[in-house]
Amino acid sequence: MEGKLVGVHKVNVKLADGTTATYYYAWRGKGAPRIMSKPGTKAFTQEYIRLTRDRPTKAVEGTISSLIEDFRATAKYKALAPSTRKDYERMFGLIKEVFGVIPVAAVEARGSRRRFLEWRDTMKDAPRSADMHIGLLSRLFAWAKDNEIILRNPLERVEKLHEGSRRDTVWTMEQINTVLTRAAPHIRSVACMALWTMQRQADLLTMPMIAFDGERVSIKQGKTGARVRITAAPDILPILNEAKEAKRQRVLVNSFGQSWTSSGFKASWRKEMAKLGISGVTFHDLRGTAITYAYAHLDRSHEEKIRLIAEISGHSREDAEGIIRRHYLAGQEVIDAISRGTR
């Protein structure tokens, strides 16, 4: 079989017990994936084809593909949160399929903007995804322009297709009470921590026990790198103290007492919300809900409210105010309505 499939690399390895095993790799060299199927079988051939089809190849210099590779090699890109890079890699894969061989010089040419936007519009049935793809392409071109690789970014000031926002997606007190009183303990703890710390899901699930000093929780946010210190509210002290007494590495754990994985939590959360009959809101909306309710109930001036919320959530003051005004509250009348409804 290995003779028929060009490039298959056969290696004989002596094992610890003295026996010899033969391993097959899709090609010779560092990083070559091992073919796990049995040699001489149809599965072996299919696996070889799949592995060689996906084999990374060096991008042609001076093309959009090479531009992407250069951008991915920057320190700023490597500093992105793993989840962000994962999303970018997926989108870059599609971008390279469509535009990879196009010369970088063509990016500046008259008419390129129209071509890129026409491609975006082929995804109009999923407007948010379309906006994310064209936004990433614009970011790539902005980096290239800043580094004098191109003279203009043809995707500056592109209007978004997706017009939705989360301003109306605030958890009701009934929904919050349902989660905090009826949800499974391992789900309830995460929701409670989210409401009282205003932190993102990833930062909550990976929060180490050493972040709690007995009074405050210190968090370095994975997405922004911001460092925040939060006085532990009475509602979350039992969660923190329980984790401390159990000598856990992380504050929050699943039903088996093990650290959460992102996919594991999302699946468990989805099942629990279905069980509780909660729909129309997401875990991410808990962060905005906490900000909304905090703003509505704090007996402070507007400026002081913004400052306190920014300190807890890790947002800049400008971003915190933007969230309140544009995405969650949409005006003083909504603040007043929330205040009346939750007193």
Side-chain angles (χ1 to χ4, degrees):
M1 173 58 67
E2 62 270 22
K4 296 179 181 179
L5 299 177
V6 178
V8 170
H9 183 45
K10 177 181 176 181
V11 178
N12 294 319
V13 179
K14 190 172 183 179
L15 304 180
D17 61 2
T19 60
T20 300
T22 301
Y23 295 152
Y24 295 85
Y25 295 86
W27 60 84
R28 181 190 296 270
K30 184 178 179 181
R34 181 181 163 192
I35 304 175
M36 306 304 293
S37 302
K38 184 179 179 180
T41 64
K42 183 178 180 181
F44 186 93
T45 302
Q46 290 175 335
E47 186 176 357
Y48 168 80
I49 292 173
R50 176 179 60 81
L51 292 172
T52 53
R53 179 192 63 205
D54 297 336
R55 181 180 182 180
T57 56
K58 185 174 178 59
V60 177
E61 194 66 29
T63 62
I64 289 180
S65 280
S66 68
L67 193 65
I68 291 173
E69 295 308 306
D70 291 343
F71 177 64
R72 290 175 63 246
T74 62
K76 190 171 184 179
Y77 184 85
K78 292 179 179 179
L80 293 172
S83 58
T84 302
R85 286 203 309 273
K86 183 178 179 181
D87 287 339
Y88 281 10
E89 292 298 318
R90 174 179 53 80
M91 290 188 283
F92 272 143
L94 179 58
I95 290 170
K96 289 168 75 172
E97 281 186 23
V98 179
F99 300 114
V101 298
I102 292 179
V104 172
V107 173
E108 305 173 295
R110 184 180 179 89
S112 63
R113 179 185 177 92
R114 179 178 179 179
R115 182 174 181 182
F116 291 129
L117 293 182
E118 286 176 346
W119 169 69
R120 178 205 61 181
D121 291 346
T122 63
M123 299 180 280
K124 63 183 179 182
D125 290 339
R128 188 169 181 272
S129 177
D131 288 338
M132 290 173 65
H133 280 80
I134 207 69
L136 180 58
L137 196 55
S138 177
R139 181 172 182 175
L140 173 70
F141 294 156
W143 169 81
K145 178 184 175 182
D146 189 53
N147 284 271
E148 299 182 334
I149 300 172
I150 58 176
L151 297 178
R152 78 177 187 99
N153 175 3
L155 293 177
E156 290 179 346
R157 298 182 297 278
V158 172
E159 291 187 8
K160 293 185 177 181
L161 296 179
H162 181 66
E163 298 179 352
S165 75
R166 307 302 300 179
R167 68 176 58 179
D168 298 320
T169 318
V170 174
W171 284 62
T172 65
M173 287 305 299
E174 181 181 0
Q175 289 172 323
I176 291 174
N177 288 333
T178 297
V179 170
L180 297 184
T181 58
R182 292 172 48 199
H186 57 291
I187 295 293
R188 181 170 65 242
S189 294
V190 183
C192 190
M193 289 290 292
L195 285 166
W196 285 102
T197 66
M198 301 182 187
Q199 300 306 306
R200 296 179 181 85
Q201 181 186 120
D203 294 323
L204 291 170
L205 298 183
T206 58
M207 185 185 297
M209 194 57 245
I210 58 173
F212 178 54
D213 64 6
E215 294 183 2
R216 296 180 180 83
V217 178
S218 300
I219 301 169
K220 180 182 179 182
Q221 297 181 334
K223 184 173 182 179
T224 64
R227 295 180 182 273
V228 295
R229 294 191 73 197
I230 304 166
T231 299
D235 296 68
I236 63 174
L237 276 175
I239 299 172
L240 294 165
N241 287 328
E242 179 189 354
K244 188 174 183 179
E245 291 170 6
K247 297 181 179 180
R248 296 177 192 154
Q249 288 188 328
R250 291 184 179 177
V251 173
L252 298 167
V253 293
N254 60 23
S255 59
F256 299 102
Q258 300 171 341
S259 297
W260 283 106
T261 63
S262 177
S263 59
F265 175 75
K266 288 176 181 176
S268 296
W269 178 266
R270 186 168 55 250
K271 291 177 182 177
E272 193 70 13
M273 293 306 102
K275 177 182 174 182
L276 296 174
I278 295 176
S279 61
V281 287
T282 67
F283 182 88
H284 179 71
D285 293 327
L286 284 173
R287 194 177 191 215
T289 298
I291 292 173
T292 299
Y293 283 18
Y295 188 90
H297 290 286
L298 282 171
D299 187 18
R300 306 288 182 90
S301 67
H302 171 74
E303 290 74 17
E304 188 70 4
K305 289 180 181 182
I306 296 297
R307 183 186 67 79
L308 290 171
I309 289 172
E311 287 179 357
I312 295 173
S313 67
H315 290 95
S316 67
R317 295 190 188 188
E318 293 77 12
D319 287 346
E321 185 164 15
I323 288 171
I324 289 166
R325 292 199 177 281
R326 292 195 304 273
H327 298 292
Y328 294 105
L329 296 180
Q332 184 64 42
E333 67 277 8
V334 180
I335 298 174
D336 295 339
I338 291 174
S339 297
R340 290 193 300 271
T342 56
R343 283 173 183 161

